[in-house]
Amino acid sequence: MNLETEDFSYHLIRNELLQDLLGKDHDAILYWLGKSLARKYPLESVDDLIAFFEKANWGQLQLVKEKRQAKLFELTGPWMGKHDSRCYQLEAGFLTQYLEQSLQRIAAGSYSASKKAVLFTIEFDRHDAVAANN
């Protein structure tokens, strides 16, 4: 493992301790925790979203494609490569909730990882509005 000193504690918590603590529910819990974080840190724009990812040390995010009912984001970072085994459900949940809030549409997110980047697909139904909070 070749991690910079400042990234080591983050790696320990994110990729080792959380997996041990959460067990088989790790991925699902991280997704919902990502959604919860996005509600606590509401963002105004995609630029704010990109800045948040950098500040959180989640990597460099960019919006790569916008479709009629989906947005595709790409995440890159120096840790990515053949030894990157982390789960990206936290980021997927965060992106999903960000789009639900900004578009006011129910959304669902998923990701696929390669050696160089993670591609997030956040799908939403233009006709399925988020229910108003009472």
Side-chain angles (χ1 to χ4, degrees):
M1 176 182 346
N2 187 15
L3 293 173
E4 296 293 324
T5 303
E6 63 268 11
D7 294 332
F8 185 66
S9 63
Y10 179 78
H11 170 80
L12 283 176
I13 293 169
R14 170 77 186 255
N15 303 330
E16 304 294 335
L17 294 177
L18 277 179
Q19 287 183 3
D20 289 347
L21 179 66
L22 301 175
K24 65 180 175 68
D25 296 322
H26 174 264
D27 293 4
I29 292 172
L30 282 185
Y31 183 82
W32 292 105
L33 287 173
K35 289 181 66 99
S36 177
L37 276 175
R39 287 188 291 273
K40 292 176 184 174
Y41 294 90
L43 303 170
E44 298 293 321
S45 68
V46 171
D47 288 338
D48 291 344
L49 181 65
I50 290 168
F52 183 91
F53 267 64
E54 287 180 21
K55 188 173 183 177
N57 199 25
W58 288 354
Q60 293 76 47
L61 183 71
Q62 65 176 334
L63 176 61
V64 293
K65 192 171 194 178
E66 293 186 71
K67 296 181 177 181
R68 189 175 171 121
Q69 294 191 163
K71 294 189 186 278
L72 282 70
F73 293 89
E74 182 181 71
L75 181 67
T76 57
W79 62 88
M80 292 182 180
K82 62 182 177 183
H83 298 295
D84 180 32
S85 61
R86 80 176 63 187
C87 165
Y88 288 92
Q89 288 292 77
L90 182 70
E91 293 87 345
F94 193 95
L95 288 168
T96 301
Q97 187 62 39
Y98 164 76
L99 284 174
E100 277 191 11
Q101 289 172 188
S102 66
L103 300 174
Q104 289 297 298
R105 298 288 173 250
I106 300 296
S110 62
Y111 75 91
S112 60
S114 70
K115 290 182 180 180
K116 295 183 181 183
V118 178
L119 184 64
F120 295 94
T121 302
I122 313 300
E123 298 179 286
F124 51 91
D125 185 340
R126 295 179 312 123
H127 305 292
D128 197 4
V130 173
N133 292 335
N134 294 331

